[in-house]
Amino acid sequence: MADSDIAPGGSLFGSLLTAMVTPMRADGTIDLDETARLADKLVSDGCDGLVVAGTTGESSTLDDEEKVSLFRAVVESVGDRASVIAGTGSNDTAHSVLLSEMAAETGVDGLLLVTPYYLKPTQSGVQAHFEAVANKTDLPIMLYDIPGRSAVPILPDTMLRLAEHPQIIAVKDAKADFAAASYVMANSDLVFYSGDDGLTLPWMSLGAAGLVGVTTHLATVQFRQLVDAVLAGDLATARRIHFELEPAIRAAMTRVPGAVAAKEILSWQGVLPDPTVRLPLTAPTSAEHELMRADLADAGMELTR
């Protein structure tokens, strides 16, 4: 997406982004043709941004060559119609720098950098990690604050210091500390995105630009309507859609990991031919299937399989 193509919400990245699954064949190899088709469908249905090789894309089980092939396939499929954000973060700063440089060569529009995980760095280490990557790229960066996975949050004062870097422009927030986020939003130009599908409306009521979601795979049109309603100031419509989406979000986000659920439901919808995931993720059990299908029935979703 060109720099001049600013989405209605006012963000370079867009207002409705899906953290894409990585389509795979039954043997676990990546299916780039299905990746391109899925990207096209998501954008046609209302997404103005896609995150590739993030958590939902099973990034921790992909090697660098696979990630680069995914970045390239999505850019070629929809790069002229939506922003393409490459997930290049890890807990290894040098590796994050290298992968970010490789991603830039594919024509992506930005980078998603998760907080370094497992090692539990101090806030000075978190800051230095992000700045090391930002210093090596001309691409805009979205920080991914998800202490439930990384163990370490990005504290407000750290965010304010990072906001001073010209390449760091946004935050995907998956910790739902609205007080801390309000402080950062009031004192910086960082653009926030909900990192929790069910909190899209509360986040946008504070001024967040939109959502980076998982359930957006299977209810893209409804999420587009929700986001557009908030941007238009139509909170009554936004609230109605928020509640209508609750069962779908339950199916996609609470029964099994999001990548597993999204692939399974996409296969039930006839969108994805194969729901294969890589270990240590596994397919849902029969009991989990029943719960997910009941949730989707509550949401009024039609399934073809």
Side-chain angles (χ1 to χ4, degrees):
M1 176 180 281
D3 288 353
S4 58
D5 296 333
I6 304 298
S11 171
L12 179 64
F13 290 140
S15 57
L16 181 62
L17 291 79
T18 291
M20 277 185 63
V21 297
T22 298
M24 296 175 183
R25 304 179 185 89
D27 62 0
T29 57
I30 292 176
D31 191 329
L32 292 178
D33 289 338
E34 286 301 328
T35 297
R37 277 193 282 271
L38 178 59
D40 177 73
K41 181 183 188 304
L42 290 168
V43 173
S44 296
D45 286 349
C47 288
D48 49 13
L50 299 173
V51 172
V52 184
T55 306
T56 310
E58 300 175 69
S59 59
S60 60
T61 70
L62 305 175
D63 63 33
D64 287 355
E65 183 177 345
E66 288 174 322
K67 290 177 182 177
V68 170
S69 70
L70 288 167
F71 301 153
R72 187 173 291 111
V74 176
V75 168
E76 290 176 355
S77 178
V78 299
D80 59 338
R81 296 187 286 142
S83 63
V84 179
I85 314 303
T88 59
S90 76
N91 63 346
D92 176 351
T93 303
H95 185 203
S96 295
V97 169
L98 175 62
L99 185 56
S100 297
E101 292 173 337
M102 295 168 68
E105 295 177 358
T106 68
V108 297
D109 299 290
L111 306 174
L112 178 74
L113 300 181
V114 68
T115 313
Y117 43 85
Y118 186 71
L119 297 173
K120 293 187 176 181
T122 63
Q123 289 298 298
S124 62
V126 170
Q127 179 180 340
H129 169 86
F130 287 132
E131 289 176 341
V133 180
N135 288 338
K136 292 291 187 177
T137 184
D138 294 327
L139 291 173
I141 290 170
M142 180 187 296
L143 306 178
Y144 187 10
D145 189 12
I146 183 166
R149 293 181 185 270
S150 68
V152 176
I154 310 173
L155 295 180
D157 288 342
T158 305
M159 278 197 188
L160 292 178
R161 290 191 293 271
L162 288 167
E164 297 174 3
H165 197 291
Q167 302 311 120
I168 298 174
I169 69 167
V171 178
K172 177 186 176 183
D173 188 292
K175 71 183 180 191
D177 186 338
F178 292 109
S182 295
Y183 173 72
V184 174
M185 294 168 80
N187 291 282
S188 77
D189 292 327
L190 286 173
V191 178
F192 272 69
Y193 287 84
S194 174
D196 186 324
D197 296 11
L199 296 181
T200 305
L201 177 54
W203 268 115
M204 292 192 71
S205 73
L206 289 178
L211 166 69
V212 180
V214 177
T215 315
T216 49
H217 282 94
L218 42 136
T220 316
V221 173
Q222 285 173 284
F223 273 102
R224 179 76 267 166
Q225 292 169 343
L226 169 60
V227 169
D228 287 348
V230 180
L231 293 176
D234 184 358
L235 294 184
T237 297
R239 280 194 296 270
R240 174 180 57 77
I241 299 171
H242 166 83
F243 289 120
E244 290 174 352
L245 282 167
E246 188 278 328
I249 294 170
R250 196 191 324 144
M253 302 300 294
T254 70
R255 306 305 188 183
V256 293
V260 177
K263 284 187 173 183
E264 201 72 22
I265 297 169
L266 285 171
S267 74
W268 295 342
Q269 291 179 324
V271 175
L272 203 63
D274 195 309
T276 294
V277 291
R278 287 182 178 175
L279 287 170
L281 297 180
T282 56
T285 65
S286 58
E288 290 163 344
H289 271 165
E290 290 179 10
L291 289 170
M292 291 163 62
R293 284 186 176 271
D295 294 335
L296 296 174
D298 288 345
M301 286 194 171
E302 295 184 5
L303 305 177
T304 61
R305 297 179 186 175

